[in-house]
Amino acid sequence: MKRRDLLKAAGIATAASALGFPAIARSQAPLRVGYVNTLAVNAQMWLAESLGYFKREKLPNVQYTMFNTGPELFQALVGGSLDVLSTGAVLSNFPARGQGKAFLINSVEYATAQLWVHPDMGINSFADLKGKQIATTMGTTAHVFLHRALAANNINSLKDVQVVNQRMPDAVTAFISKAVPAVALWVPFNLQVRSRAPGAKMLVDASKYYPQAAIVGGWAARNDFYEKQRPTLHSLARAWSSANDYLIAKPDEAVALIQKERFQGVPLADLQEQYKASKLFSTKDWINMYKDGTVAKWLDQVTDFNVEIGAMKNPLKAATYFDATVLPQAMGA
């Protein structure tokens, strides 16, 4: 464009603003949010949407995209097609590589990860797993849990079993069809196992290893978005806080609302079971755990897992990749 055209365009925008018309430059770009479809990851998000908390915080145009796994989520974030995301244990993976900045924690995945086996394929205990295949999605909450559970039973996940890396829907299908004798999954994939493999049994869930092996999930932002859009992160954190505290104060109402609007195909009792599988804390308690280093310790535990299995070397510590100030600043704490 020529200089006079640029000046003309600027003049039109200024005049439109003066007359009360919104200028094109003022239009709000959508906030592109990616998520994994489990209540531990998206409960606060859906409540903030349904109860109008995002709109209240001047975030009226939120675009949601669902992914099957956390690694797929982060690949989309790093690639630039997402601004922020909400996920599980992968929150301690990509940001520890400098890819994305964690800034908000949803919950401790207290019992969301589970290990299922087929007794009729000779698996009744941890000892029976030695030398056998176990399907899961590597680098996720389920994989972290599996590694810890095996280690607690003197089994090395790198040497004593064969971990088969698949997208979780494929891992569960392989288990149901008995292509593998065991699967480490996260809820709600357990519902498929219950209905389609009635002879299977759950060997253990993640609650047995809390808090020594606590796994936290939460939100991360693309690096450039984090640097340039901090006010947006504050707005998101305030909306999240309202939803989080509502979820804790009125869990039955909150879960029923989420089920009605977002999980119509899931029985309410099953969704309530998902809710109980996560350990939630009030905004005030989260802020205290941000400040005293509890959350950083939990994040580092999972980052250390990635080092143990050889998935990364020399990762950043959580004190670097997790910004513990976004929520307190948003809440004036």
Side-chain angles (χ1 to χ4, degrees):
M1 293 177 68
K2 295 181 180 179
R3 182 174 181 274
R4 63 174 178 272
D5 295 324
L6 287 169
L7 292 172
K8 181 179 179 181
I12 292 173
T14 301
S17 177
L19 290 171
F21 297 109
I24 294 175
R26 286 187 169 186
S27 64
Q28 187 181 44
L31 178 65
R32 301 171 301 169
V33 178
Y35 68 95
V36 176
N37 199 32
T38 176
L39 202 64
V41 166
N42 60 38
Q44 292 95 336
M45 180 183 78
W46 289 140
L47 283 174
E49 176 67 31
S50 297
L51 297 172
Y53 297 145
F54 283 141
K55 290 183 178 179
R56 182 196 68 192
E57 297 299 332
K58 305 297 189 294
L59 297 172
N61 190 12
V62 183
Q63 294 182 354
Y64 304 98
T65 304
M66 187 183 80
F67 292 79
N68 285 311
T69 68
E72 294 171 325
L73 258 178
F74 265 101
Q75 288 164 8
L77 185 81
V78 174
S81 58
L82 296 174
D83 300 316
V84 297
L85 59 76
S86 184
T87 189
V90 187
L91 192 69
S92 300
N93 186 331
F94 286 75
R97 306 170 191 266
Q99 299 174 332
K101 192 83 168 182
F103 66 93
L104 191 62
I105 304 299
N106 286 322
S107 64
V108 178
E109 299 202 37
Y110 178 66
T112 60
Q114 303 175 355
L115 178 59
W116 286 78
V117 299
H118 283 301
D120 59 0
M121 294 182 72
I123 311 297
N124 286 283
S125 67
F126 275 96
D128 298 329
L129 287 169
K130 287 189 174 182
K132 299 298 193 297
Q133 291 183 323
I134 306 174
T136 195
T137 306
M138 288 186 174
T140 64
T141 296
H143 189 202
V144 178
F145 151 72
L146 174 64
H147 180 76
R148 300 300 189 208
L150 292 174
N153 288 273
N154 300 311
I155 299 174
N156 188 315
S157 72
L158 301 176
K159 300 177 181 178
D160 299 331
V161 298
Q162 181 184 350
V163 178
V164 180
N165 183 30
Q166 296 177 295
R167 295 168 65 253
M168 190 52 68
D170 300 329
V172 171
T173 298
F175 176 73
I176 291 171
S177 66
K178 296 187 177 180
V180 293
V183 63
L185 52 76
W186 61 76
V187 298
F189 286 98
N190 60 321
L191 302 180
Q192 294 183 34
V193 173
R194 283 182 183 173
S195 64
R196 298 170 57 192
K201 77 171 185 178
M202 186 180 74
L203 204 56
V204 70
D205 66 37
S207 64
K208 186 174 179 64
Y209 311 104
Y210 176 85
Q212 292 79 12
I215 301 169
V216 295
W219 292 72
R222 198 177 67 248
N223 287 341
D224 61 326
F225 191 87
Y226 167 82
E227 295 292 341
K228 300 175 182 178
Q229 298 290 337
R230 194 171 183 86
T232 300
L233 299 184
H234 285 160
S235 296
L236 194 157
R238 283 191 293 270
W240 175 93
S241 172
S242 295
N244 179 72
D245 291 347
Y246 177 82
L247 181 61
I248 291 173
K250 299 180 179 181
D252 292 340
E253 291 181 20
V255 173
L257 177 62
I258 296 170
Q259 189 268 346
K260 178 182 178 181
E261 298 197 1
R262 301 291 175 174
F263 288 89
Q264 294 93 338
V266 179
L268 181 58
D270 291 339
L271 206 62
Q272 290 171 333
E273 182 179 329
Q274 282 193 50
Y275 171 79
K276 293 175 182 177
S278 295
K279 189 171 286 292
L280 297 138
F281 299 95
S282 69
T283 298
K284 180 180 178 181
D285 287 340
W286 274 125
I287 289 174
N288 289 335
M289 288 189 288
Y290 285 12
K291 292 181 177 180
D292 69 14
T294 298
V295 168
K297 177 183 176 181
W298 286 342
L299 289 165
D300 281 335
Q301 286 177 173
V302 179
T303 301
D304 291 343
F305 150 79
N306 287 295
V307 175
E308 289 174 21
I309 65 170
M312 66 172 67
K313 294 181 179 179
N314 303 317
L316 299 173
K317 301 297 286 185
T320 299
Y321 71 74
F322 171 59
D323 186 343
T325 69
V326 171
L327 180 62
Q329 288 177 359
M331 304 306 298

